[in-house]
Amino acid sequence: MPELTHHVVDANGIRVHVVEQGSGPLVILLHGFPECWYSWRHQLTMLAQAGFRAIAPDLRGYGRSDCPPDGGKYTILDYIGDMVGLIDTLGVDQAVIAGHDFGATIAWQAALMRPDKFRAVIGLSAPFRPRGFGTSVLPTTLMPQNDKAVYYQLYLATPQAEIGMEQNRRQTLRSLFYQMSGEASQAASATSADLGPGMIPRSGAALLESPPLPGWITSAELEVYIEEFTRSGFRGPLSWYRNIDRSWELLEMTLGAEVTVPALYVTGDRDFVAAANREFIPLQAKFVPKLRRPLILPGCGHWTQQERATDVSAAMIDFLQQL
């Protein structure tokens, strides 16, 4: 088996750090928040063993990739442009694109807009939604909030979120990995249920806890994330959430369009993102006619490819081999 290799490539006017393994048809793996290429560590090896060339980039603003100083350079079209540029730089014609969390949103829209470049798509956690929420008003105006809590995407767009996360990166990452995991305690789950799917206290108190590590991540693996966010900080990663409405505006040309390439959707039955978007999961087939039957993993929380590495890799490989 070839080893993991790290290198930096020029794509769409920025430098993108990528990690790859294997040879064969190209599969690009997009991480979510707060992650980096490392969230695909299990799939890189398993896909390579199955005869694929798997590449996991650090998305712009993350890890060892460039972090543009202009906060407006983190729209969905910027990220899609990075992936198109990556394919061109690698000298290949097409790739399958897979994504988790907001990486899935990028993957879905990339496949919709550029089926010539992305011949199939795999979305984890976040389902396909036509032009954001599929409505005629800005997405942030539809996100729930009250005196005690606010939808997580609204919170992550605030200066308060960045300040709080930077104060103690270890505690921030440990809290998020546990609280969004399928292993979260009954007390934490009950609190989340009281607030509603995707809701967090306005105080950001959820990031101030020091829970145990869930079973799917070791202390050494957590250290990798801490090192990467010490390198990048949180400004770039949080800039995605500060551009949600702008990204929605830029997708106006996709109104009524379908994702025409083969597609796979995988999520956990304890994933708060899936719960917050439950109405869109059964509607996906209307907009993604080549969508395979969704795979819902019991007991799995938000960190799909890490919590259920073997199941997710097997589903991806089965899908890829049938293309």
Side-chain angles (χ1 to χ4, degrees), residues 205-274:
L207 303 179
L208 302 178
E209 302 174 5
S210 295
L213 278 178
W216 52 267
I217 186 169
T218 67
S219 295
E221 290 172 330
L222 178 63
E223 289 301 321
V224 175
Y225 284 109
I226 294 169
E227 179 181 349
E228 292 305 309
F229 277 90
T230 298
R231 183 196 312 273
S232 69
F234 282 92
R235 184 188 63 81
L238 291 175
S239 293
W240 163 268
Y241 300 98
R242 294 164 180 164
N243 282 279
I244 287 176
D245 285 342
R246 179 59 179 153
S247 291
W248 178 85
E249 291 172 339
L250 292 171
L251 291 177
E252 183 176 8
M253 82 289 285
T254 67
L255 281 172
E258 295 181 347
V259 177
T260 58
V261 299
L264 173 67
Y265 174 65
V266 183
T267 192
D269 65 358
R270 297 182 184 177
D271 186 343
F272 81 97
V273 170

Side-chain angles (χ1 to χ4, degrees), residues 77-317:
L77 294 191
D78 291 304
Y79 286 100
I80 293 174
D82 294 346
M83 294 307 105
V84 172
L86 175 59
I87 289 179
D88 292 341
T89 297
L90 295 173
V92 297
D93 294 327
Q94 290 184 316
V96 174
I97 190 166
H100 169 251
D101 186 68
F102 89 93
T105 301
I106 298 168
W108 287 119
Q109 297 296 335
L112 182 149
M113 299 179 70
R114 295 301 304 267
D116 59 319
K117 292 291 186 181
F118 305 106
R119 65 190 184 97
V121 58
I122 302 170
L124 307 185
S125 179
F128 174 74
R129 300 181 309 199
R131 201 191 179 208
F133 282 82
T135 68
S136 58
V137 297
L138 295 172
T140 58
T141 65
L142 299 175
M143 295 178 184
Q145 55 181 309
N146 54 50
D147 292 341
K148 295 182 179 180
V150 62
Y151 194 62
Y152 79 100
Q153 293 188 17
L154 293 175
Y155 176 76
L156 293 178
T158 65
Q160 177 188 2
E162 183 177 347
I163 293 170
M165 290 180 173
E166 290 286 6
Q167 285 180 346
N168 191 326
R169 299 183 185 98
R170 180 183 305 277
Q171 191 166 279
T172 293
L173 293 167
R174 190 182 185 106
S175 294
L176 289 172
F177 286 154
Y178 176 76
Q179 291 168 17
M180 298 181 189
S181 169
E183 298 178 33
S185 68
Q186 264 189 339
S189 297
T191 301
S192 298
D194 290 341
L195 294 176
M199 301 292 285
I200 62 173
R202 284 186 177 274
S203 64
L207 303 179
L208 302 178
E209 302 174 5
S210 295
L213 278 178
W216 52 267
I217 186 169
T218 67
S219 295
E221 290 172 330
L222 178 63
E223 289 301 321
V224 175
Y225 284 109
I226 294 169
E227 179 181 349
E228 292 305 309
F229 277 90
T230 298
R231 183 196 312 273
S232 69
F234 282 92
R235 184 188 63 81
L238 291 175
S239 293
W240 163 268
Y241 300 98
R242 294 164 180 164
N243 282 279
I244 287 176
D245 285 342
R246 179 59 179 153
S247 291
W248 178 85
E249 291 172 339
L250 292 171
L251 291 177
E252 183 176 8
M253 82 289 285
T254 67
L255 281 172
E258 295 181 347
V259 177
T260 58
V261 299
L264 173 67
Y265 174 65
V266 183
T267 192
D269 65 358
R270 297 182 184 177
D271 186 343
F272 81 97
V273 170
N277 292 280
R278 62 171 62 91
E279 65 183 289
F280 293 102
I281 294 176
L283 295 177
Q284 289 182 105
K286 178 180 178 181
F287 304 99
V288 191
K290 295 182 181 179
L291 177 69
R292 292 182 69 175
R293 186 173 185 175
L295 175 61
I296 312 297
L297 300 171
C300 180
H302 179 60
W303 314 106
T304 328
Q305 73 271 27
Q306 298 182 81
E307 292 189 51
R308 295 291 188 273
T310 301
D311 292 335
V312 169
S313 298
M316 293 177 69
I317 291 167

